[in-house]
Every structure is written in structure tokens, then in C-alpha cells.
Amino acid sequence: MEMRPLGSTGLVVSVIGLGTVKLGRDQGVKYPGGTRIPTDDEARSLIKSAADLGITLIDTAPAYGTSEARLGAMLAGQRERWTIVTKVGEEFEGGVSRFDFSAAAVRASVERSLARLRTDRVECVLIHSDGVIENSPGFDETIDELEKLKARGLIRSFGASTKSVSGGLRSLDRCDVVMVTLNLAAKDDLQVIAEAKKRNKGVLIKKALASGHAAVGGAGAGAAGFGPDPVVASLRFAIGTPGVSSVIVGTTSPVHLAENCRDIGGE
Ligand code: NAP
């Protein structure tokens, strides 16, 4: 597995990371055909496969249902081998998202994430943007609190998962890491990635497979030229984009995970 620096955080991460929306949430998702939350045995098998493939990076969030708590249970005893990214600002309850980016909410959310993940620090916390906060004055208050949590040693680095080019670019001014969307049908954030590279910031990619639509030829995949092997084309495009640190692929399938690592020249 190829390893890359996460900007100037001092962290080094696997070029493929494991996204865990599907580990804990089956409502309000845009995957083709929906999703089914894996059983404990399936989840453990997924984590073991990821480790065997050399994946070191796991992305989770409070808004991913039981994802954080399940990871906390499964990573017990192997915490040191994982780089954990979680988020703040979004809660998902009863099928509805609620957002609170205030300093108090950020602090409480990180403390709860540490408890759920059964750890005393996480390597990265991202602002789980609703698309509005990243372009609002309140964004600075959220970042101020993340800086304090970093100074306290509860988080090693921080950043924002953004929804607009302006929000991504703004994040680079004060953040260590950005998480942006990049796939063959969604290239707007290439500007953000190029700027991040200039400033030596970490770049995590979400939705590299267009939330699975690339694999089934949907979401404009044909028009965007995903080609005959859209998963391979999509992964290679994202991983080959200069400035990208890691591509976070959301899967609950050990078979797909292994295929993805093989297709990019890993195990
Ligand atoms: P994605 O990685 O683009 O696509 C995931 C989908 O692709 C899953 O349905 C998966 O199904 C399928 N897939 C994966 N490998 C495959 C293969 N080899 N062949 C066929 N299908 C394959 O989408 P995503 O989950 O939306 O995004 C990735 C991660 O980014 C998330 O899990 C999350 O960690 C993060 N994210 C963050 C935000 C945010 O912060 N706002 C938003 C979205 C996502 P199987 O399970 O069947 O493999």
C-alpha cells in the first residue's frame, strides 16, 4: 500500500482510506439501491481486510449513526495502527440532519467522539459542513475551538469537509486538511486541491466513486466518460491527481476493498 504524507501534519496515511458511512447508517444515503448495515461479524471482517491490505486511515463521523461506537469496539487493542478522522457539526437523528458549529457543540462533540472511539485523541477532526457554514463568519469560531482542542492534545490536526470551491479555498487559510469531492463527473474541487498542494495541506477525497453510482454507470457516469471499467478509472483519476493524500472509499465489502487496492497497484 502506498503511503503519503497528510500535508504538513506529520501524519503519513495509506493512499486508500476506509469510509464508514455504511458501517452505521442506512437512512438518508444516496447509494444506488440503498444500503444494509453490516452485522458485527461482517464489520470485523471488513476491518481485518482493511488492515491486511495495508489501509491505515479510517473516516467516520457522529452523523454516521453507530459508526464511531462500532469502530471504538472493533479497534480496541489495535488503536496505534490506525489514523482516525472524525467530524463535528452534524448530527443525524430520526432520519434528519441537524447542524451546530458553535464552540460548545464542537467541544462536546469531540469529547463524545473520543468516548465512543474509546481513545484519548484522534488524528484529525473535520468540520462536517452543511455547505453554509464554510462561507459564513461563524466558520472562524468553529476553527478557533478546533485550534484549542489541538493545543490541548485531543486532536492532532483539523480541517473541513466542504461543499463549495469557495469554502474549500477558505478552509486552506486556517486548516491542516480539507476533504473534498472528486470524481470523473465532479471536478470543481480540482482548484482547491491544486491550492492545497501549493500550501502543503492534506487532501482527503470523498465520493471518488460518486457514492457508488460510478460503479453502476449512473450519475452522469457515461456522459463523463467513466469508460468500460469505471471503478478503476475513477480510483486512478482521484489517486493520480497531484496534491491528493488519500482517497476515502466507502464500502462494506471486503471483496470490493481488495479489488480497489489491487486496481490502484496495492496488494
Ligand atoms: P464512494 O466512496 O464514492 O462510493 C461508495 C460506494 O461505492 C458504495 O456503495 C460501495 O458499495 C461502492 N463500491 C466501492 N468499491 C466498489 C467496487 N470495487 N465495485 C463496486 N462498487 C464499489 O462514496 P461515499 O461513501 O459517499 O464517500 C466515501 C466516504 O467519504 C464516505 O464513506 C465518508 O467516509 C466520506 N464522506 C464524507 C462526506 C462529508 O464529510 N460530507 C460526505 C460523503 C462522504 P459496496 O459497499 O457494495 O462496496
Side-chain angles (χ1 to χ4, degrees):
M1 175 61 65
E2 180 186 343
M3 304 293 287
R4 292 183 181 176
L6 186 63
S8 52
T9 62
L11 298 162
V12 177
V13 296
S14 53
V15 74
I16 286 198
L18 179 64
T20 63
V21 176
K22 297 176 88 172
L23 195 65
R25 172 168 155 183
D26 60 2
Q27 288 180 292
V29 290
K30 294 178 182 159
Y31 301 106
T35 190
R36 175 183 66 78
I37 294 176
T39 64
D40 282 351
D41 282 351
E42 289 169 335
R44 284 191 187 280
S45 158
L46 178 71
I47 298 298
K48 181 175 183 319
S49 299
D52 290 348
L53 289 161
I55 290 172
T56 63
L57 183 57
I58 293 195
D59 179 68
T60 182
Y64 299 168
T66 56
S67 171
E68 285 187 320
R70 296 189 88 186
L71 288 173
M74 289 189 291
L75 303 186
Q78 47 172 297
R79 174 68 183 90
E80 297 306 319
R81 83 163 300 288
W82 296 99
T83 298
I84 300 179
V85 179
T86 192
K87 309 195 183 71
V88 291
E90 180 177 352
E91 303 287 329
F92 185 82
E93 280 162 1
V96 181
S97 284
R98 195 166 49 76
F99 297 92
D100 187 345
F101 301 99
S102 66
V106 166
R107 200 162 48 244
S109 180
V110 168
E111 285 166 359
R112 186 188 57 188
S113 291
L114 295 179
R116 285 178 174 170
L117 289 161
R118 303 188 192 180
T119 188
D120 58 359
R121 86 283 171 208
V122 285
E123 283 70 30
C124 185
V125 169
L126 302 175
I127 299 169
H128 209 160
S129 179
D130 57 354
V132 176
I133 186 68
E134 67 201 49
N135 292 303
S136 306
F139 198 51
D140 282 311
E141 178 193 335
T142 310
I143 292 178
D144 289 345
E145 185 57 32
L146 290 171
E147 278 180 345
K148 288 182 195 159
L149 293 166
K150 186 175 167 181
R152 287 171 59 194
L154 299 186
I155 67 179
R156 173 100 181 251
S157 65
F158 65 83
S161 175
T162 54
K163 293 193 174 180
S164 64
V165 171
S166 55
L169 291 173
R170 180 181 179 192
S171 301
L172 296 175
D173 287 338
R174 293 189 60 194
C175 294
D176 307 304
V177 176
V178 283
M179 174 182 265
V180 294
T181 297
L182 182 67
N183 61 57
L184 290 162
K187 298 184 181 175
D188 288 354
D189 281 331
L190 282 172
Q191 287 181 69
V192 180
I193 299 167
E195 188 60 27
K197 182 173 186 294
K198 274 192 216 157
R199 301 200 206 178
N200 197 20
K201 304 284 183 172
V203 175
L204 303 176
I205 300 301
K206 60 186 172 185
K207 304 184 187 178
L209 301 178
S211 296
H213 293 278
V216 297
F226 277 65
D229 199 339
V231 171
V232 177
S234 301
L235 291 174
R236 288 190 178 163
F237 170 64
I239 285 168
T241 297
V244 168
S245 314
S246 182
V247 176
I248 309 294
V249 181
T251 182
T252 49
S253 160
V255 173
H256 285 166
L257 200 57
E259 284 173 6
N260 296 345
C261 292
R262 183 200 63 210
D263 289 340
I264 55 105
E267 302 261 330

